[in-house]
Amino acid sequence: MESIQAPRGTRDILPEEVGYWQKVEAIARQCLHAAAYQEIRTPTFEQTPLFERGIGEATDIVGKEMYSFLDRGDRSITLRPEGTAGVVRAFIEHKLHAQGGTQRLWYTGPMFRYERPGAGRQRQFHQLGVEVLGSQNPRADAEVIALAADILKSLGIEDWTLALNSLGTFDDRQLYREALVSYFEQYKDDLDADSQDRLYRNPLRILDSKDQKTQAIAQDAPHIQDYLCDQSRIHFETVCTLLNILGIPYALDPCLVRGLDYYTHTAFEFKLQELGTQGTLCGGGRYDRLISELGGPDTPAVGWAIGLERLVMLLQDRQPQSPSRIDIYMVARGLLAEQQALFLTKGLQKEGLQVEMDLSGSAFKKQLKRADRSGAPLCLIIGESEAEQDQVQLKWLESGEQDQQNQFELLAEAQSLGRKINLAKSAKRI
Ligand code: HAM
Protein backbone atom coordinates (compact mmCIF):
# COMPACT_ATOMS: atom_id res chain seq x y z
CA MET A 1 0.00 0.00 0.00
CA GLU A 2 1.33 3.46 -0.87
CA SER A 3 2.25 5.39 2.24
CA ILE A 4 0.58 8.72 2.98
CA GLN A 5 2.89 11.71 3.03
CA ALA A 6 2.54 15.28 4.29
CA PRO A 7 0.73 17.46 1.71
CA ARG A 8 2.95 19.29 -0.80
CA GLY A 9 4.20 22.59 0.58
CA THR A 10 3.88 21.56 4.23
CA ARG A 11 6.58 20.18 6.46
CA ASP A 12 6.96 18.59 9.84
CA ILE A 13 9.08 20.42 12.37
CA LEU A 14 10.91 17.54 13.96
CA PRO A 15 12.36 17.51 17.50
CA GLU A 16 15.92 18.13 16.22
CA GLU A 17 14.77 21.44 14.66
CA VAL A 18 12.24 22.51 17.23
CA GLY A 19 14.92 23.99 19.52
CA TYR A 20 15.45 26.79 16.99
CA TRP A 21 11.72 27.53 16.93
CA GLN A 22 11.56 27.60 20.71
CA LYS A 23 14.55 29.93 20.85
CA VAL A 24 12.95 32.31 18.32
CA GLU A 25 9.65 32.24 20.19
CA ALA A 26 11.26 32.81 23.59
CA ILE A 27 13.41 35.72 22.42
CA ALA A 28 10.55 37.31 20.47
CA ARG A 29 8.28 37.06 23.52
CA GLN A 30 10.91 38.82 25.66
CA CYS A 31 11.29 41.68 23.16
CA LEU A 32 7.52 42.02 22.69
CA HIS A 33 6.89 41.95 26.41
CA ALA A 34 9.48 44.69 26.99
CA ALA A 35 7.86 46.79 24.27
CA ALA A 36 4.42 46.42 25.95
CA TYR A 37 2.77 44.41 23.14
CA GLN A 38 -0.04 42.04 24.05
CA GLU A 39 -0.68 38.71 22.40
CA ILE A 40 -3.84 38.11 20.40
CA ARG A 41 -4.97 34.73 19.05
CA THR A 42 -7.46 34.69 16.21
CA PRO A 43 -8.92 31.69 14.33
CA THR A 44 -6.94 29.90 11.64
CA PHE A 45 -9.91 30.20 9.29
CA GLU A 46 -12.19 33.14 8.61
CA GLN A 47 -15.05 33.98 6.29
CA THR A 48 -13.67 34.37 2.76
CA PRO A 49 -14.95 37.95 2.20
CA LEU A 50 -12.70 39.18 5.03
CA PHE A 51 -9.62 38.45 2.92
CA GLU A 52 -11.23 39.40 -0.41
CA ARG A 53 -12.12 42.83 0.94
CA GLY A 54 -9.11 43.20 3.22
CA ILE A 55 -6.19 42.04 1.08
CA GLY A 56 -7.76 43.03 -2.25
CA GLU A 57 -9.33 41.02 -5.07
CA ALA A 58 -6.62 42.04 -7.53
CA THR A 59 -3.75 40.60 -5.47
CA ASP A 60 -2.09 37.24 -6.18
CA ILE A 61 -2.94 36.12 -2.66
CA VAL A 62 -6.68 36.51 -3.18
CA GLY A 63 -6.72 35.73 -6.90
CA LYS A 64 -4.55 32.62 -6.93
CA GLU A 65 -3.35 31.52 -3.53
CA MET A 66 -6.22 31.19 -1.08
CA TYR A 67 -7.28 27.90 0.43
CA SER A 68 -11.03 28.47 0.21
CA PHE A 69 -13.80 25.93 0.53
CA LEU A 70 -17.48 25.62 1.35
CA ASP A 71 -18.05 24.13 4.77
CA ARG A 72 -20.88 21.76 5.55
CA GLY A 73 -23.17 24.73 6.10
CA ASP A 74 -22.34 26.07 2.61
CA ARG A 75 -20.38 29.02 3.99
CA SER A 76 -17.29 30.10 2.13
CA ILE A 77 -14.34 29.70 4.47
CA THR A 78 -10.66 30.50 3.88
CA LEU A 79 -7.57 29.32 5.74
CA ARG A 80 -5.90 32.59 6.69
CA PRO A 81 -3.18 33.61 4.22
CA GLU A 82 -1.90 36.25 6.66
CA GLY A 83 -2.66 37.60 10.13
CA THR A 84 -3.52 41.29 9.72
CA ALA A 85 -7.09 40.88 8.40
CA GLY A 86 -8.08 38.55 11.27
CA VAL A 87 -6.61 40.88 13.89
CA VAL A 88 -8.51 43.82 12.37
CA ARG A 89 -11.73 41.77 12.31
CA ALA A 90 -11.27 40.93 16.00
CA PHE A 91 -10.43 44.56 16.80
CA ILE A 92 -13.72 45.68 15.24
CA GLU A 93 -15.84 42.78 16.50
CA HIS A 94 -14.75 43.20 20.13
CA LYS A 95 -14.71 47.00 19.94
CA LEU A 96 -11.11 47.14 21.15
CA HIS A 97 -11.10 50.73 19.93
CA ALA A 98 -13.56 51.58 22.72
CA GLN A 99 -10.68 51.13 25.18
CA GLY A 100 -9.15 54.25 23.64
CA GLY A 101 -5.46 54.88 23.09
CA THR A 102 -3.22 52.69 21.01
CA GLN A 103 -3.48 48.92 20.89
CA ARG A 104 -0.17 47.13 20.50
CA LEU A 105 -0.81 43.51 19.51
CA TRP A 106 1.27 40.55 18.41
CA TYR A 107 0.48 37.08 17.13
CA THR A 108 2.09 33.97 15.79
CA GLY A 109 0.79 30.92 14.00
CA PRO A 110 0.39 29.07 10.71
CA MET A 111 -0.70 30.85 7.52
CA PHE A 112 -1.72 29.22 4.24
CA ARG A 113 -1.03 30.21 0.64
CA TYR A 114 -1.29 28.01 -2.42
CA GLU A 115 2.13 28.96 -3.83
CA ARG A 116 4.71 26.94 -5.73
CA PRO A 117 6.75 25.35 -2.93
CA GLY A 118 10.49 26.02 -2.84
CA ALA A 119 13.24 26.93 -0.38
CA GLY A 120 11.64 29.37 2.07
CA ARG A 121 8.27 29.20 0.32
CA GLN A 122 5.62 26.85 1.59
CA ARG A 123 1.89 26.39 1.46
CA GLN A 124 1.65 26.23 5.22
CA PHE A 125 4.14 28.57 6.86
CA HIS A 126 4.36 30.48 10.11
CA GLN A 127 4.46 34.17 10.83
CA LEU A 128 5.22 36.27 13.85
CA GLY A 129 3.43 39.58 13.45
CA VAL A 130 2.71 42.83 15.24
CA GLU A 131 -0.06 45.36 14.66
CA VAL A 132 -0.26 48.80 16.27
CA LEU A 133 -3.81 50.08 15.95
CA GLY A 134 -4.99 53.62 16.66
CA SER A 135 -1.99 55.81 15.97
CA GLN A 136 -1.31 58.01 13.00
CA ASN A 137 1.97 59.16 14.48
CA PRO A 138 5.10 58.39 12.39
CA ARG A 139 6.66 57.33 15.67
CA ALA A 140 4.46 54.22 15.49
CA ASP A 141 6.01 53.35 12.09
CA ALA A 142 9.51 53.85 13.52
CA GLU A 143 8.60 51.89 16.66
CA VAL A 144 7.48 48.78 14.77
CA ILE A 145 10.47 48.87 12.43
CA ALA A 146 12.82 49.23 15.42
CA LEU A 147 11.07 46.35 17.15
CA ALA A 148 11.68 44.03 14.19
CA ALA A 149 15.34 45.12 14.19
CA ASP A 150 15.57 44.44 17.95
CA ILE A 151 14.14 40.94 17.64
CA LEU A 152 16.50 40.10 14.79
CA LYS A 153 19.47 41.55 16.70
CA SER A 154 18.62 39.51 19.79
CA LEU A 155 18.81 36.45 17.55
CA GLY A 156 22.21 37.50 16.21
CA ILE A 157 20.92 38.71 12.83
CA GLU A 158 22.12 42.20 11.99
CA ASP A 159 23.15 42.03 8.34
CA TRP A 160 19.73 42.72 6.82
CA THR A 161 18.95 45.55 4.48
CA LEU A 162 15.80 47.54 5.03
CA ALA A 163 13.96 48.70 1.92
CA LEU A 164 11.61 51.62 2.55
CA ASN A 165 9.00 53.36 0.46
CA SER A 166 5.88 55.44 0.84
CA LEU A 167 2.71 54.47 -0.98
CA GLY A 168 1.00 57.71 0.06
CA THR A 169 -2.70 58.09 0.73
CA PHE A 170 -5.43 56.37 -1.26
CA ASP A 171 -5.83 59.52 -3.37
CA ASP A 172 -2.07 59.79 -4.03
CA ARG A 173 -2.14 56.20 -5.17
CA GLN A 174 -5.04 56.76 -7.56
CA LEU A 175 -3.08 59.54 -9.30
CA TYR A 176 0.05 57.44 -9.37
CA ARG A 177 -1.87 54.46 -10.73
CA GLU A 178 -3.11 56.50 -13.67
CA ALA A 179 0.41 57.73 -14.40
CA LEU A 180 1.73 54.17 -14.28
CA VAL A 181 -0.95 52.83 -16.59
CA SER A 182 -0.23 55.48 -19.20
CA TYR A 183 3.52 54.84 -18.89
CA PHE A 184 3.31 51.05 -19.17
CA GLU A 185 0.70 51.20 -21.94
CA GLN A 186 3.46 52.46 -24.23
CA TYR A 187 5.39 49.21 -23.68
CA LYS A 188 2.43 46.89 -23.37
CA ASP A 189 3.69 44.27 -25.83
CA ASP A 190 7.13 44.11 -24.24
CA LEU A 191 5.85 43.38 -20.73
CA ASP A 192 5.83 39.81 -19.41
CA ALA A 193 2.48 38.03 -19.48
CA ASP A 194 1.76 38.54 -15.76
CA SER A 195 2.48 42.26 -16.00
CA GLN A 196 0.25 42.63 -19.05
CA ASP A 197 -2.45 41.00 -17.03
CA ARG A 198 -1.85 43.44 -14.16
CA LEU A 199 -1.74 46.58 -16.32
CA TYR A 200 -5.27 47.71 -15.52
CA ARG A 201 -6.02 45.53 -12.50
CA ASN A 202 -2.97 46.27 -10.34
CA PRO A 203 -0.32 48.29 -12.20
CA LEU A 204 1.78 48.94 -9.08
CA ARG A 205 2.66 45.26 -8.96
CA ILE A 206 4.39 45.57 -12.35
CA LEU A 207 7.15 47.44 -10.49
CA ASP A 208 7.72 44.26 -8.53
CA SER A 209 8.07 41.99 -11.59
CA LYS A 210 10.98 39.53 -11.59
CA ASP A 211 11.10 39.53 -15.43
CA GLN A 212 14.31 41.24 -16.64
CA LYS A 213 12.78 43.00 -19.64
CA THR A 214 9.89 44.31 -17.52
CA GLN A 215 12.36 45.40 -14.84
CA ALA A 216 14.29 47.42 -17.42
CA ILE A 217 11.07 49.14 -18.54
CA ALA A 218 10.02 49.73 -14.91
CA GLN A 219 13.30 51.53 -14.18
CA ASP A 220 12.09 54.63 -16.00
CA ALA A 221 8.52 54.44 -14.74
CA PRO A 222 7.17 57.42 -12.78
CA HIS A 223 8.09 57.43 -9.08
CA ILE A 224 5.45 57.45 -6.36
CA GLN A 225 7.41 60.19 -4.56
CA ASP A 226 6.34 62.65 -7.26
CA TYR A 227 2.68 61.94 -6.53
CA LEU A 228 2.70 62.29 -2.76
CA CYS A 229 0.66 65.10 -1.23
CA ASP A 230 2.29 67.31 1.42
CA GLN A 231 0.80 65.31 4.29
CA SER A 232 2.20 62.05 2.88
CA ARG A 233 5.60 63.58 2.21
CA ILE A 234 5.89 64.98 5.72
CA HIS A 235 4.84 61.66 7.23
CA PHE A 236 7.45 59.77 5.24
CA GLU A 237 10.23 62.28 5.91
CA THR A 238 9.47 62.08 9.62
CA VAL A 239 9.69 58.27 9.57
CA CYS A 240 13.08 58.56 7.83
CA THR A 241 14.31 61.11 10.39
CA LEU A 242 13.21 58.89 13.27
CA LEU A 243 15.01 55.89 11.78
CA ASN A 244 18.13 58.04 11.44
CA ILE A 245 17.86 59.01 15.10
CA LEU A 246 17.50 55.35 16.08
CA GLY A 247 20.52 54.44 13.95
CA ILE A 248 18.52 52.05 11.77
CA PRO A 249 19.96 52.01 8.25
CA TYR A 250 17.55 51.85 5.30
CA ALA A 251 17.53 52.25 1.53
CA LEU A 252 14.74 54.05 -0.27
CA ASP A 253 13.17 51.76 -2.84
CA PRO A 254 10.57 53.43 -5.07
CA CYS A 255 9.69 50.02 -6.58
CA LEU A 256 8.68 48.51 -3.22
CA VAL A 257 4.92 48.04 -3.48
CA ARG A 258 4.19 44.88 -1.38
CA GLY A 259 1.79 42.14 -2.38
CA LEU A 260 -1.24 43.22 -0.36
CA ASP A 261 -3.51 46.11 -1.33
CA TYR A 262 -4.20 47.58 2.09
CA TYR A 263 -1.04 49.64 2.49
CA THR A 264 -0.93 53.43 2.69
CA HIS A 265 2.11 55.61 3.47
CA THR A 266 5.07 53.62 4.81
CA ALA A 267 5.90 50.21 3.32
CA PHE A 268 9.04 48.29 4.24
CA GLU A 269 10.85 44.97 3.92
CA PHE A 270 13.80 43.50 5.78
CA LYS A 271 15.79 41.44 3.29
CA LEU A 272 18.76 39.10 3.47
CA GLN A 273 20.84 38.10 0.48
CA GLU A 274 21.37 34.65 1.91
CA LEU A 275 17.66 33.92 1.47
CA GLY A 276 18.06 34.17 -2.32
CA THR A 277 14.98 34.83 -4.39
CA GLN A 278 12.82 34.51 -1.27
CA GLY A 279 14.91 37.31 0.23
CA THR A 280 12.25 38.99 2.33
CA LEU A 281 12.31 38.01 5.95
CA CYS A 282 9.90 40.60 7.29
CA GLY A 283 7.40 42.76 5.45
CA GLY A 284 4.97 45.38 6.63
CA GLY A 285 3.71 48.89 6.56
CA ARG A 286 0.94 51.29 7.43
CA TYR A 287 -2.69 50.54 6.58
CA ASP A 288 -4.81 53.52 7.57
CA ARG A 289 -7.94 52.59 5.62
CA LEU A 290 -8.29 48.87 6.28
CA ILE A 291 -10.18 49.12 9.57
CA SER A 292 -12.82 51.50 8.19
CA GLU A 293 -13.07 49.48 4.97
CA LEU A 294 -13.88 46.40 7.03
CA GLY A 295 -16.67 48.27 8.83
CA GLY A 296 -14.83 49.66 11.85
CA PRO A 297 -14.24 53.24 12.92
CA ASP A 298 -11.66 55.27 11.05
CA THR A 299 -8.48 53.97 12.72
CA PRO A 300 -4.92 54.24 11.41
CA ALA A 301 -2.62 51.25 11.92
CA VAL A 302 0.82 49.87 11.14
CA GLY A 303 2.47 46.46 11.48
CA TRP A 304 4.66 43.73 10.04
CA ALA A 305 5.09 39.98 9.84
CA ILE A 306 8.24 37.89 9.91
CA GLY A 307 8.31 34.54 8.06
CA LEU A 308 9.46 32.11 10.74
CA GLU A 309 10.61 29.33 8.37
CA ARG A 310 12.97 31.83 6.76
CA LEU A 311 14.20 33.04 10.13
CA VAL A 312 14.82 29.49 11.34
CA MET A 313 16.64 28.66 8.07
CA LEU A 314 19.02 31.55 8.75
CA LEU A 315 19.65 30.48 12.33
CA GLN A 316 20.30 26.89 11.29
CA ASP A 317 22.88 28.04 8.74
CA ARG A 318 24.59 30.38 11.15
CA GLN A 319 24.31 28.45 14.39
CA PRO A 320 24.61 24.81 13.33
CA GLN A 321 24.60 23.61 16.92
CA SER A 322 20.92 23.18 17.75
CA PRO A 323 20.02 25.01 20.97
CA SER A 324 20.42 22.43 23.72
CA ARG A 325 17.23 20.63 24.46
CA ILE A 326 18.22 19.15 27.79
CA ASP A 327 20.53 19.88 30.71
CA ILE A 328 21.63 16.42 31.78
CA TYR A 329 21.86 13.01 30.17
CA MET A 330 21.69 10.23 32.78
CA VAL A 331 23.58 7.01 32.15
CA ALA A 332 23.46 3.91 34.37
CA ARG A 333 24.13 0.19 34.20
CA GLY A 334 23.32 -2.54 36.72
CA LEU A 335 20.18 -3.02 38.80
CA LEU A 336 21.07 -0.83 41.82
CA ALA A 337 22.66 1.82 39.61
CA GLU A 338 19.56 2.02 37.41
CA GLN A 339 17.29 2.36 40.46
CA GLN A 340 19.47 5.15 41.82
CA ALA A 341 19.52 6.83 38.38
CA LEU A 342 15.72 6.89 38.37
CA PHE A 343 15.64 8.38 41.88
CA LEU A 344 18.30 10.98 41.04
CA THR A 345 16.61 11.89 37.73
CA LYS A 346 13.29 12.52 39.46
CA GLY A 347 14.99 14.56 42.19
CA LEU A 348 16.87 16.77 39.73
CA GLN A 349 13.76 17.24 37.58
CA LYS A 350 11.90 18.46 40.67
CA GLU A 351 14.63 21.09 41.06
CA GLY A 352 13.79 22.36 37.57
CA LEU A 353 16.57 20.67 35.60
CA GLN A 354 15.82 18.94 32.30
CA VAL A 355 17.11 15.42 32.68
CA GLU A 356 16.84 12.61 30.15
CA MET A 357 17.48 9.11 31.40
CA ASP A 358 18.90 6.47 29.06
CA LEU A 359 16.53 3.49 29.25
CA SER A 360 18.46 1.08 27.05
CA GLY A 361 20.51 -0.75 29.69
CA SER A 362 23.12 -1.14 26.93
CA ALA A 363 26.90 -0.95 27.35
CA PHE A 364 28.31 2.31 28.78
CA LYS A 365 30.06 3.09 25.49
CA LYS A 366 26.75 3.12 23.61
CA GLN A 367 24.99 5.14 26.29
CA LEU A 368 27.82 7.69 26.33
CA LYS A 369 27.60 8.06 22.55
CA ARG A 370 23.93 8.91 22.92
CA ALA A 371 24.84 11.38 25.67
CA ASP A 372 27.17 13.14 23.20
CA ARG A 373 24.46 13.28 20.57
CA SER A 374 21.87 14.60 23.04
CA GLY A 375 23.54 18.03 23.10
CA ALA A 376 23.32 18.09 26.92
CA PRO A 377 26.28 19.85 28.52
CA LEU A 378 26.46 17.35 31.38
CA CYS A 379 26.31 13.56 31.59
CA LEU A 380 25.76 11.82 34.91
CA ILE A 381 27.06 8.26 35.14
CA ILE A 382 26.26 5.61 37.74
CA GLY A 383 28.01 2.25 37.45
CA GLU A 384 27.97 -0.65 39.90
CA SER A 385 30.93 0.63 41.93
CA GLU A 386 29.47 4.16 42.17
CA ALA A 387 26.09 2.71 43.16
CA GLU A 388 27.56 0.80 46.10
CA GLN A 389 28.91 4.05 47.56
CA ASP A 390 25.96 6.32 46.57
CA GLN A 391 28.31 8.14 44.22
CA VAL A 392 27.74 9.60 40.76
CA GLN A 393 30.26 10.61 38.09
CA LEU A 394 29.85 14.00 36.41
CA LYS A 395 31.18 14.30 32.86
CA TRP A 396 31.13 17.75 31.21
CA LEU A 397 30.70 16.79 27.59
CA GLU A 398 32.20 19.86 25.93
CA SER A 399 35.47 19.94 27.94
CA GLY A 400 35.66 16.26 28.88
CA GLU A 401 36.25 17.36 32.50
CA GLN A 402 35.22 14.66 35.01
CA ASP A 403 34.36 14.66 38.68
CA GLN A 404 32.68 12.47 41.30
CA GLN A 405 30.16 13.38 43.99
CA ASN A 406 27.82 11.88 46.53
CA GLN A 407 24.33 11.56 45.01
CA PHE A 408 22.54 13.25 47.93
CA GLU A 409 25.02 16.11 47.96
CA LEU A 410 24.47 16.58 44.22
CA LEU A 411 20.72 16.80 44.81
CA ALA A 412 21.18 19.30 47.63
CA GLU A 413 23.35 21.46 45.36
CA ALA A 414 21.06 21.20 42.32
CA GLN A 415 20.62 24.98 42.06
CA SER A 416 24.32 25.70 41.73
CA LEU A 417 24.63 22.77 39.30
CA GLY A 418 21.87 24.42 37.23
CA ARG A 419 23.87 27.66 37.08
CA LYS A 420 26.98 25.79 35.90
CA ILE A 421 24.92 24.04 33.21
CA ASN A 422 23.49 27.34 31.98
CA LEU A 423 26.99 28.79 31.76
CA ALA A 424 28.14 25.79 29.71
CA LYS A 425 25.08 26.13 27.47
CA SER A 426 25.60 29.83 26.81
CA ALA A 427 29.33 29.32 26.12
CA LYS A 428 28.36 26.84 23.40
CA ARG A 429 26.00 29.23 21.66
CA ILE A 430 27.23 31.75 19.11
P1 HAM B 1 3.77 39.36 3.62
O1 HAM B 1 4.89 40.15 3.03
O2 HAM B 1 2.79 38.77 2.69
O3 HAM B 1 3.05 40.33 4.64
O4 HAM B 1 4.37 38.21 4.52
C1 HAM B 1 5.30 38.49 5.55
C2 HAM B 1 6.41 37.46 5.55
O5 HAM B 1 5.85 36.15 5.61
C3 HAM B 1 7.25 37.43 4.29
O6 HAM B 1 8.24 38.43 4.31
C4 HAM B 1 7.86 36.05 4.36
O7 HAM B 1 8.98 36.03 5.23
C5 HAM B 1 6.74 35.23 4.98
N1 HAM B 1 6.03 34.47 3.93
C6 HAM B 1 5.08 34.91 3.09
N2 HAM B 1 4.66 33.92 2.27
C7 HAM B 1 5.37 32.82 2.60
C8 HAM B 1 5.41 31.47 2.12
N3 HAM B 1 4.59 31.04 1.14
N4 HAM B 1 6.28 30.62 2.70
C9 HAM B 1 7.11 31.02 3.70
N5 HAM B 1 7.10 32.29 4.20
C10 HAM B 1 6.26 33.18 3.66
C11 HAM B 1 1.96 39.99 5.39
O8 HAM B 1 1.56 38.86 5.50
C12 HAM B 1 1.35 41.15 6.13
N6 HAM B 1 0.20 40.65 6.89
C13 HAM B 1 2.36 41.81 7.04
C14 HAM B 1 1.79 42.98 7.79
C15 HAM B 1 1.36 42.98 9.07
N7 HAM B 1 1.58 44.16 7.30
C16 HAM B 1 1.04 44.93 8.22
N8 HAM B 1 0.89 44.21 9.30
Side-chain angles (χ1 to χ4, degrees):
M1 201 169 45
E2 214 177 294
S3 65
I4 299 174
Q5 295 185 333
R8 190 165 140 76
T10 70
R11 51 190 287 280
D12 302 304
I13 300 165
L14 298 176
E16 63 195 35
E17 187 187 320
V18 92
Y20 289 99
W21 287 80
Q22 289 169 345
K23 180 177 172 179
V24 166
E25 285 156 10
I27 287 181
R29 263 171 208 277
Q30 272 171 18
C31 295
L32 291 159
H33 181 75
Y37 282 63
Q38 287 190 301
E39 186 177 358
I40 182 165
R41 300 184 189 192
T42 62
T44 321
F45 60 85
E46 299 270 359
Q47 295 188 41
T48 303
L50 173 69
F51 301 116
E52 288 171 344
R53 278 164 52 193
I55 299 172
E57 309 243 18
T59 60
D60 280 356
I61 296 182
V62 172
K64 302 185 193 161
E65 296 171 0
M66 291 212 299
Y67 275 93
S68 301
F69 55 94
L70 289 180
D71 71 4
R72 287 170 195 269
D74 262 351
R75 301 171 201 92
S76 180
I77 294 294
T78 294
L79 302 184
R80 61 179 180 193
E82 56 106 51
T84 311
V87 169
V88 166
R89 194 233 356 103
F91 177 83
I92 299 169
E93 191 169 329
H94 302 286
K95 298 193 171 43
L96 297 185
H97 43 88
Q99 299 174 11
T102 306
Q103 299 282 323
R104 290 180 168 83
L105 304 174
W106 71 272
Y107 54 88
T108 187
M111 310 290 159
F112 306 85
R113 296 184 192 175
Y114 192 84
E115 291 195 77
R116 197 162 47 81
R121 191 174 51 213
Q122 288 174 216
R123 292 184 173 168
Q124 175 175 329
F125 60 98
H126 298 76
Q127 285 185 342
L128 169 78
V130 305
E131 313 293 351
V132 174
L133 305 124
S135 173
Q136 208 158 25
N137 197 313
R139 269 190 293 159
D141 310 36
E143 173 182 313
V144 294
I145 292 175
L147 181 55
D150 281 348
I151 293 175
L152 297 180
K153 185 174 178 184
S154 306
L155 288 163
I157 297 173
E158 295 188 72
D159 51 339
W160 39 260
T161 53
L162 171 62
L164 194 66
N165 194 18
S166 171
L167 300 172
T169 61
F170 181 73
D171 292 339
D172 298 341
R173 272 246 292 285
Q174 288 306 101
L175 286 178
Y176 181 52
R177 220 185 122 97
E178 284 165 26
L180 274 185
V181 172
S182 38
Y183 173 79
F184 283 122
E185 264 176 343
Q186 305 170 67
Y187 305 97
K188 196 172 171 193
D189 297 337
D190 295 321
L191 298 175
D192 62 280
D194 270 350
S195 297
Q196 287 183 8
D197 189 42
R198 285 174 175 147
L199 184 56
Y200 301 104
R201 280 193 311 117
N202 201 353
L204 268 75
R205 291 290 290 169
I206 301 179
L207 298 173
D208 210 22
S209 167
K210 302 282 175 283
D211 180 79
Q212 278 193 349
K213 210 165 159 194
T214 305
Q215 277 179 352
I217 298 170
Q219 282 216 322
D220 294 326
H223 278 185
I224 179 87
Q225 263 66 37
D226 298 326
Y227 294 82
L228 297 183
C229 66
D230 285 349
Q231 177 219 342
S232 299
R233 190 167 302 119
I234 292 170
H235 184 97
F236 191 51
E237 283 168 7
T238 313
V239 173
C240 293
T241 307
L242 293 170
L243 293 179
N244 291 338
I245 291 172
L246 289 170
I248 296 177
Y250 56 86
L252 298 181
D253 180 356
C255 287
L256 178 69
V257 291
R258 311 268 305 124
L260 305 97
D261 272 357
Y262 48 62
Y263 292 109
T264 52
H265 297 290
T266 320
F268 59 86
E269 286 183 350
F270 285 80
K271 299 178 191 228
L272 274 113
Q273 250 184 354
E274 224 167 311
L275 290 173
T277 47
Q278 305 306 319
T280 305
L281 179 60
C282 169
R286 183 165 273 287
Y287 51 95
D288 289 348
R289 283 169 55 95
L290 181 61
I291 298 168
S292 58
E293 270 170 9
L294 291 175
D298 205 359
T299 312
V302 59
W304 50 249
I306 294 177
L308 292 182
E309 276 75 9
R310 295 183 192 178
L311 184 53
V312 166
M313 256 166 55
L314 282 173
L315 292 181
Q316 280 178 314
D317 278 354
R318 293 172 181 208
Q319 304 168 11
Q321 178 74 50
S322 168
S324 232
R325 197 165 50 84
I326 55 168
D327 295 324
I328 297 174
Y329 195 85
M330 178 74 71
V331 162
R333 197 166 149 78
L335 187 61
L336 183 62
E338 286 170 8
Q339 286 169 353
Q340 289 180 350
L342 178 63
F343 182 80
L344 195 55
T345 297
K346 287 282 135 208
L348 290 167
Q349 286 171 345
K350 264 193 213 137
E351 296 294 330
L353 293 168
Q354 293 164 291
V355 191
E356 180 177 336
M357 184 170 49
D358 192 302
L359 294 172
S360 67
S362 52
F364 272 126
K365 212 170 155 190
K366 277 196 175 156
Q367 294 195 44
L368 287 170
K369 253 198 187 146
R370 276 195 289 274
D372 274 329
R373 279 203 301 264
S374 75
L378 178 64
C379 174
L380 294 181
I381 307 160
I382 310 178
E384 279 174 10
S385 56
E386 285 90 5
E388 275 165 21
Q389 297 162 37
D390 293 334
Q391 293 282 308
V392 53
Q393 271 193 53
L394 290 81
K395 184 172 180 196
W396 294 93
L397 292 166
E398 190 74 5
S399 62
E401 191 189 316
Q402 245 165 308
D403 201 2
Q404 192 155 330
Q405 199 174 0
N406 175 279
Q407 293 173 19
F408 298 101
E409 265 175 32
L410 185 87
L411 263 182
E413 291 167 13
Q415 296 299 318
S416 74
L417 185 67
R419 281 193 288 277
K420 237 178 132 179
I421 287 170
N422 282 339
L423 274 179
K425 273 185 168 179
S426 52
K428 228 161 99 174
R429 275 183 218 143
I430 300 163

